[in-house]
Amino acid sequence: MFELQGQVVVITGAARGIGRAYVKAFLAEGAKVVAMDRSWEPTGFSSDTDSDFLDELKANHGDVLVATADISDARQVEGAYQSTLEKFGTVDVLINNASMRQRTLFPPTGRVTTLETTDPDWEKMFGVGVFGTLKVTRAFIQPMLEKQRGSIISLISGGALHQAQGGAYVAMRSNSREMPYQSAKAALLCMMFYLAEEV
């Protein structure tokens, strides 16, 4: 079993939803957490209706670094990385959770056909989910490479996978109309497979 006591865990998209749950769970197991998000203001989505969570994290100053950073901005990522090294000296685990919601691009439902999307829609989605994740990984993997140990966990979606039916590959949730979100998740999955083979 992986010992979490004292391990430094970096979590992107930490302010709400799955990211928030990860932060709470790792802290409960004795880890030190770098909680990264581009905004800590409540949005009303994904269980973040108040600012109590941020206050909780700030009160736990010794074990938590709250890093406000947009992962699509290389300078902000580098700033968060340097702050992490200054506070904790290393990184043991990186959880790439941050992503852009489909509903942010196409409010209120997020449902749109592929042919209705525009190039800027894809650029925005990939800017966070793929290129942003790559920026974070390039930075925060460095202490792991030096130590020759560590873990990187990147969240994808079941809709990014394909299932063979009669010898053909089909989209798992084609009726959900989640482009370009699912394409970004599929690209992230592929990138992480290659990274795992390279390091």
Side-chain angles (χ1 to χ4, degrees):
M1 186 173 179
F2 188 63
E3 177 57 56
L4 292 173
Q5 188 71 37
Q7 297 286 296
V8 178
V9 181
V10 178
I11 302 168
T12 66
R16 54 196 57 83
I18 294 171
R20 179 182 287 203
Y22 274 131
V23 170
K24 290 182 175 183
F26 277 102
L27 286 172
E29 291 297 320
K32 298 184 182 302
V33 172
V34 179
M36 289 178 63
D37 211 304
R38 70 185 182 100
S39 173
W40 294 88
E41 289 297 316
T43 63
F45 291 106
S46 304
S47 308
D48 77 335
T49 54
D50 55 48
S51 61
D52 289 350
F53 181 57
L54 179 58
D55 294 338
E56 241 179 82
L57 295 183
K58 287 181 175 177
N60 197 356
H61 180 67
D63 293 328
V64 179
L65 171 65
V66 175
T68 303
D70 180 343
I71 67 168
S72 66
D73 184 315
R75 285 189 299 179
Q76 292 185 40
V77 169
E78 181 61 23
Y81 174 62
Q82 291 304 324
S83 295
T84 298
L85 293 186
E86 288 166 17
K87 185 171 181 68
F88 297 126
T90 192
V91 174
D92 299 296
V93 179
L94 169 62
I95 299 181
N96 287 313
N97 170 63
S99 182
M100 175 178 278
R101 296 180 320 120
Q102 183 84 0
R103 283 175 294 182
T104 300
L105 280 181
F106 310 109
T109 65
R111 291 173 56 85
V112 64
T113 66
T114 303
L115 295 180
E116 290 173 307
T117 63
T118 66
D119 288 356
D121 296 331
W122 289 73
E123 289 161 3
K124 288 174 189 172
M125 185 66 75
F126 272 64
V128 176
V130 180
F131 301 124
T133 299
L134 179 57
K135 287 176 177 65
V136 171
T137 303
R138 280 177 178 150
F140 287 89
I141 198 174
Q142 295 307 313
M144 299 184 215
L145 293 175
E146 290 169 15
K147 296 183 293 186
Q148 287 295 292
R149 70 178 188 277
S151 298
I152 297 177
I153 301 164
S154 297
L155 276 70
I156 60 159
S157 165
L161 302 174
H162 300 83
Q163 180 179 31
Q165 290 185 345
Y169 286 89
V170 297
M172 290 288 283
R173 294 193 334 219
S174 55
N175 64 342
S176 67
R177 296 187 174 184
E178 293 177 285
M179 284 293 140
Y181 177 83
Q182 296 297 356
S183 284
K185 290 297 187 181
L188 174 58
L189 175 64
C190 184
M191 181 171 71
M192 289 297 134
F193 277 143
Y194 273 77
L195 176 64
E197 292 295 323
E198 293 164 356
V199 297

Short mmCIF file of all heavy atoms in Angstrom, two decimals, residues 13-38:
data_model
loop_
_atom_site.label_atom_id
_atom_site.label_comp_id
_atom_site.label_asym_id
_atom_site.label_seq_id
_atom_site.Cartn_x
_atom_site.Cartn_y
_atom_site.Cartn_z
N GLY A 13 -7.05 21.84 -10.67
CA GLY A 13 -8.51 21.87 -10.63
C GLY A 13 -9.03 21.51 -9.26
O GLY A 13 -9.99 20.77 -9.09
N ALA A 14 -8.36 22.06 -8.22
CA ALA A 14 -8.60 21.63 -6.84
C ALA A 14 -9.74 22.34 -6.14
O ALA A 14 -10.12 21.95 -5.03
CB ALA A 14 -7.32 21.83 -6.03
N ALA A 15 -10.30 23.38 -6.73
CA ALA A 15 -11.28 24.20 -6.02
C ALA A 15 -12.66 23.57 -5.90
O ALA A 15 -13.42 23.91 -5.00
CB ALA A 15 -11.41 25.57 -6.69
N ARG A 16 -12.97 22.63 -6.77
CA ARG A 16 -14.34 22.11 -6.78
C ARG A 16 -14.38 20.68 -7.32
O ARG A 16 -13.40 20.17 -7.84
CB ARG A 16 -15.24 23.01 -7.63
CG ARG A 16 -14.76 23.27 -9.03
CD ARG A 16 -15.45 24.46 -9.72
NE ARG A 16 -15.32 25.68 -8.97
CZ ARG A 16 -14.25 26.49 -9.04
NH1 ARG A 16 -13.25 26.20 -9.83
NH2 ARG A 16 -14.20 27.58 -8.31
N GLY A 17 -15.51 20.05 -7.15
CA GLY A 17 -15.75 18.73 -7.73
C GLY A 17 -14.76 17.67 -7.30
O GLY A 17 -14.42 17.54 -6.13
N ILE A 18 -14.29 16.89 -8.28
CA ILE A 18 -13.37 15.79 -8.01
C ILE A 18 -12.08 16.30 -7.38
O ILE A 18 -11.53 15.70 -6.46
CB ILE A 18 -13.06 15.02 -9.32
CG1 ILE A 18 -14.32 14.33 -9.82
CG2 ILE A 18 -11.95 14.00 -9.10
CD1 ILE A 18 -14.18 13.72 -11.20
N GLY A 19 -11.58 17.45 -7.88
CA GLY A 19 -10.35 18.00 -7.34
C GLY A 19 -10.46 18.31 -5.86
O GLY A 19 -9.55 18.00 -5.07
N ARG A 20 -11.56 18.88 -5.46
CA ARG A 20 -11.79 19.19 -4.05
C ARG A 20 -11.82 17.91 -3.22
O ARG A 20 -11.24 17.85 -2.13
CB ARG A 20 -13.12 19.95 -3.89
CG ARG A 20 -13.44 20.30 -2.45
CD ARG A 20 -14.76 21.01 -2.30
NE ARG A 20 -14.70 22.38 -2.78
CZ ARG A 20 -15.53 23.35 -2.37
NH1 ARG A 20 -16.46 23.09 -1.47
NH2 ARG A 20 -15.42 24.57 -2.86
N ALA A 21 -12.49 16.89 -3.74
CA ALA A 21 -12.56 15.61 -3.03
C ALA A 21 -11.16 15.01 -2.87
O ALA A 21 -10.84 14.45 -1.81
CB ALA A 21 -13.47 14.65 -3.78
N TYR A 22 -10.33 15.12 -3.91
CA TYR A 22 -8.95 14.63 -3.82
C TYR A 22 -8.18 15.36 -2.72
O TYR A 22 -7.46 14.76 -1.93
CB TYR A 22 -8.22 14.81 -5.14
CG TYR A 22 -8.41 13.68 -6.13
CD1 TYR A 22 -8.76 13.95 -7.45
CD2 TYR A 22 -8.20 12.36 -5.76
CE1 TYR A 22 -8.92 12.94 -8.37
CE2 TYR A 22 -8.36 11.34 -6.68
CZ TYR A 22 -8.72 11.63 -7.98
OH TYR A 22 -8.87 10.62 -8.89
N VAL A 23 -8.30 16.68 -2.70
CA VAL A 23 -7.59 17.47 -1.69
C VAL A 23 -7.95 17.00 -0.29
O VAL A 23 -7.08 16.73 0.54
CB VAL A 23 -7.89 18.98 -1.85
CG1 VAL A 23 -7.35 19.77 -0.66
CG2 VAL A 23 -7.30 19.51 -3.15
N LYS A 24 -9.23 16.87 -0.02
CA LYS A 24 -9.69 16.45 1.31
C LYS A 24 -9.19 15.06 1.65
O LYS A 24 -8.75 14.80 2.78
CB LYS A 24 -11.22 16.50 1.37
CG LYS A 24 -11.79 17.91 1.36
CD LYS A 24 -13.30 17.88 1.48
CE LYS A 24 -13.86 19.29 1.61
NZ LYS A 24 -15.32 19.30 1.80
N ALA A 25 -9.25 14.15 0.68
CA ALA A 25 -8.85 12.76 0.93
C ALA A 25 -7.35 12.65 1.21
O ALA A 25 -6.94 11.94 2.13
CB ALA A 25 -9.24 11.88 -0.25
N PHE A 26 -6.53 13.36 0.43
CA PHE A 26 -5.09 13.27 0.63
C PHE A 26 -4.68 13.92 1.95
O PHE A 26 -3.80 13.40 2.66
CB PHE A 26 -4.34 13.90 -0.54
CG PHE A 26 -4.17 12.95 -1.70
CD1 PHE A 26 -4.97 13.06 -2.83
CD2 PHE A 26 -3.21 11.96 -1.67
CE1 PHE A 26 -4.82 12.18 -3.90
CE2 PHE A 26 -3.04 11.08 -2.72
CZ PHE A 26 -3.86 11.18 -3.85
N LEU A 27 -5.31 15.03 2.30
CA LEU A 27 -5.01 15.65 3.59
C LEU A 27 -5.39 14.72 4.74
O LEU A 27 -4.66 14.61 5.73
CB LEU A 27 -5.73 16.99 3.72
CG LEU A 27 -5.15 18.14 2.91
CD1 LEU A 27 -6.06 19.36 2.97
CD2 LEU A 27 -3.74 18.50 3.40
N ALA A 28 -6.53 14.04 4.60
CA ALA A 28 -6.98 13.12 5.65
C ALA A 28 -6.00 11.97 5.84
O ALA A 28 -5.91 11.40 6.93
CB ALA A 28 -8.36 12.57 5.30
N GLU A 29 -5.23 11.64 4.79
CA GLU A 29 -4.25 10.55 4.87
C GLU A 29 -2.86 11.04 5.27
O GLU A 29 -1.90 10.28 5.26
CB GLU A 29 -4.18 9.83 3.52
CG GLU A 29 -5.41 9.04 3.18
CD GLU A 29 -5.68 7.90 4.17
OE1 GLU A 29 -4.71 7.24 4.59
OE2 GLU A 29 -6.85 7.70 4.52
N GLY A 30 -2.76 12.35 5.60
CA GLY A 30 -1.49 12.87 6.09
C GLY A 30 -0.55 13.42 5.04
O GLY A 30 0.61 13.71 5.33
N ALA A 31 -1.04 13.58 3.81
CA ALA A 31 -0.19 14.14 2.75
C ALA A 31 -0.12 15.66 2.88
O ALA A 31 -0.97 16.29 3.52
CB ALA A 31 -0.75 13.75 1.38
N LYS A 32 0.88 16.22 2.26
CA LYS A 32 0.98 17.67 2.09
C LYS A 32 0.47 17.96 0.69
O LYS A 32 0.85 17.27 -0.26
CB LYS A 32 2.42 18.14 2.28
CG LYS A 32 2.95 17.85 3.68
CD LYS A 32 4.33 18.39 3.88
CE LYS A 32 4.86 18.05 5.26
NZ LYS A 32 4.02 18.55 6.35
N VAL A 33 -0.38 18.97 0.55
CA VAL A 33 -1.09 19.17 -0.72
C VAL A 33 -0.84 20.55 -1.30
O VAL A 33 -0.91 21.56 -0.59
CB VAL A 33 -2.62 18.96 -0.52
CG1 VAL A 33 -3.39 19.36 -1.77
CG2 VAL A 33 -2.90 17.51 -0.15
N VAL A 34 -0.56 20.57 -2.59
CA VAL A 34 -0.54 21.80 -3.37
C VAL A 34 -1.85 21.83 -4.13
O VAL A 34 -2.07 21.01 -5.03
CB VAL A 34 0.66 21.86 -4.34
CG1 VAL A 34 0.63 23.15 -5.16
CG2 VAL A 34 1.97 21.72 -3.59
N ALA A 35 -2.74 22.72 -3.73
CA ALA A 35 -4.07 22.81 -4.34
C ALA A 35 -4.06 23.94 -5.36
O ALA A 35 -3.99 25.11 -5.02
CB ALA A 35 -5.11 23.09 -3.26
N MET A 36 -4.09 23.56 -6.64
CA MET A 36 -4.02 24.53 -7.73
C MET A 36 -5.37 24.70 -8.41
O MET A 36 -6.06 23.72 -8.70
CB MET A 36 -3.02 24.08 -8.81
CG MET A 36 -1.57 24.13 -8.41
SD MET A 36 -0.50 23.51 -9.74
CE MET A 36 -0.81 24.71 -11.04
N ASP A 37 -5.72 25.95 -8.68
CA ASP A 37 -6.90 26.24 -9.49
C ASP A 37 -6.76 27.66 -10.00
O ASP A 37 -6.04 28.47 -9.41
CB ASP A 37 -8.20 26.09 -8.69
CG ASP A 37 -9.36 25.65 -9.58
OD1 ASP A 37 -9.64 26.35 -10.58
OD2 ASP A 37 -9.97 24.60 -9.29
N ARG A 38 -7.44 27.97 -11.09
CA ARG A 38 -7.32 29.33 -11.65
C ARG A 38 -8.20 30.32 -10.92
O ARG A 38 -7.98 31.52 -10.97
CB ARG A 38 -7.63 29.35 -13.15
CG ARG A 38 -9.06 29.12 -13.51
CD ARG A 38 -9.25 29.03 -15.02
NE ARG A 38 -10.63 28.84 -15.37
CZ ARG A 38 -11.44 29.80 -15.78
NH1 ARG A 38 -11.00 31.03 -15.91
NH2 ARG A 38 -12.70 29.55 -16.07
#
